[in-house]
Amino acid sequence: MVGAVQDAGVVVTGAGGGIGAALARRFGAEGARVVVNDLDAGRAKAVAEEIGGIAVPGDASAIVAEAREALGGTVDVYCANAGIAFEAGEPGTPLDEQPWALSWEVNVMAHVRAAHELLPEWLERGTGRFVSTVSAAGLLTMIGAAPYAVTKHGAYAFAEWLSLTYRHRGLKVHAICPQGVRTDMLAATGSAGDLVLQPTAIEPDEVADALFKGIEEDRFLILPHPEVAGYCQARAADPDRWLTNMNHLQQKWETTR
Ligand SMILES: NC(=O)c1ccc[n+]([C@@H]2O[C@H](COP(=O)([O-])OP(=O)(O)OC[C@H]3O[C@@H](n4cnc5c(N)ncnc54)[C@H](O)[C@@H]3O)[C@@H](O)[C@H]2O)c1
C-alpha cells in the first residue's frame, strides 16, 4: 500500500478540518507530499504546518494549477473533498435558489473542473487517482436536505462516470460514501442530523482508514459505514417500501424538531 502513496503528490480540498484534514494527515503519514486546500487560509496553513505539507488556500474549484506547481509539476492523487450542506426550504415556502446554486458549484462542479484539468496529464501518463468524498446521501438521501442529497447524487454519478470511462487508461477512482462523521458539518446538521446521523457517527480518521483499505483492495466504492450496502440493496429491491420507511423517519423528525 505504502508504495502507492509514498512520495506521491496529493491534493486534498477542504482539508482545513474534518474529513479533509484526516485524509491530509493520513496521506502525509504514508509519505506523500500533500497540498492542503481550504477556503479558510488560516485553517489550511495550520494543517499544512502540522503535516509538513503545502497550503494552497482558495476555492476548490480553481486550485489545480497552483497545486500542480506547488507539487513540482505533477498531481498524482486528487481528493475532491470540500463540500457544503444546507437544509432545504420546503415546498410551499419561497424557493431560495442560493443553496441549490452553491451546492451544485461546490459539491459537483468543483469535481468536474478538477477532473477536466487533471485528465490530460493523467491519460498521457497512464496513471492518476481521483478520490471523491461523496456521502451516503449520494446513494440514498438525507431528510430535510434536498440540495445536499441531490448534488451528492451528482457527485457520485460523476465519479462513477469517470471510473467507467477511464479505468482501462490507468485512472483509479474512489467514491467515499459515509453516513455521519464527527466534524463541524455534522454538528451543523441540527435535529435531522441528531436523529439520522449522530447515533452511528464515526471519527474522520475512520474515513481515512476506510479509504486506504479501499485503495489497497482497489475498490471504487468506499463505505466507512458498511451497513449502507444493505440500505442500497433495500432501496433498489423495493423503492416504495424504502420510501415508506424513509417517510416514517421524516415524520419522526417532524415530531422532534
Ligand atoms: N461530516 C459528515 O457527517 C459527512 C458525511 C458524509 C459526507 N461528508 C462529506 O465530507 C466532506 C467533508 O466534510 P466535513 O464533514 O469534513 O466538513 P467540514 O465542514 O468539517 O469541513 C469542510 C471544509 O471544507 C472547506 N470548504 C468549504 N467550501 C469550500 C470550497 N469551495 N473550497 C475549499 N474549501 C471549502 C471548509 O472551509 C471546511 O474547512 C464534504 O464533501 C461532506 O459533504 C461529510
Side-chain angles (χ1 to χ4, degrees):
M1 165 65 238
V2 172
V5 169
Q6 178 78 43
D7 223 29
V10 177
V11 180
V12 187
T13 68
I19 295 170
L23 296 179
R25 286 189 187 102
R26 184 63 189 271
F27 275 107
E30 297 280 349
R33 296 168 294 118
V34 184
V35 161
V36 179
N37 158 261
D38 204 281
L39 262 187
D40 183 325
R43 296 181 83 191
K45 190 161 171 270
V47 173
E49 275 172 8
E50 178 199 324
I51 67 169
I54 309 153
V56 174
D59 189 323
S61 256
I63 52 121
V64 169
E66 199 180 334
R68 185 188 280 124
E69 200 181 314
L71 291 169
T74 310
V75 175
D76 299 297
V77 181
Y78 186 89
C79 299
N81 170 81
I84 48 174
F86 294 94
E87 289 192 13
E90 293 189 11
T93 59
L95 174 62
D96 184 355
E97 302 268 354
Q98 201 195 30
W100 284 98
L102 279 174
S103 299
W104 177 247
E105 280 297 310
V106 181
N107 295 347
V108 183
M109 287 312 295
H111 299 204
V112 175
R113 292 187 184 114
H116 194 74
E117 284 199 58
L118 289 161
L119 275 165
E121 87 178 64
W122 284 346
L123 295 180
E124 193 182 325
R125 294 196 341 247
T127 177
R129 195 179 292 276
F130 189 92
V131 179
S132 175
T133 308
V134 186
S135 167
L139 299 169
L140 302 161
T141 191
M142 177 59 197
I143 61 170
Y148 188 75
V150 171
T151 56
K152 287 295 182 176
H153 274 259
Y156 185 79
F158 183 64
E160 215 172 39
W161 183 89
L162 275 182
S163 184
L164 73 89
T165 304
Y166 298 112
R167 61 171 49 205
H168 65 300
R169 299 179 66 183
L171 182 66
K172 305 280 186 188
V173 183
H174 308 276
I176 314 176
C177 298
Q179 292 187 292
V181 184
R182 289 190 198 96
T183 67
D184 292 350
M185 182 184 279
L186 178 60
T189 54
S191 53
D194 289 347
L195 178 67
V196 180
L197 302 173
Q198 289 284 5
T200 58
I202 60 175
E203 296 300 327
D205 282 349
E206 295 176 76
V207 177
D209 290 344
L211 171 64
F212 272 68
K213 192 160 179 278
I215 291 176
E216 205 171 285
E217 294 170 359
D218 201 14
R219 270 189 293 105
F220 169 78
L221 179 57
I222 312 290
L223 295 178
H225 296 78
E227 60 271 30
V228 168
Y231 303 150
C232 291
Q233 281 163 9
R235 175 179 182 262
D238 191 341
D240 281 292
R241 183 159 183 223
W242 180 77
L243 284 169
T244 298
N245 289 338
M246 289 305 294
N247 175 254
H248 289 154
L249 205 54
Q250 167 73 20
Q251 292 184 55
K252 191 170 171 190
W253 177 48
E254 287 174 9
T255 63
T256 58
R257 72 186 153 135

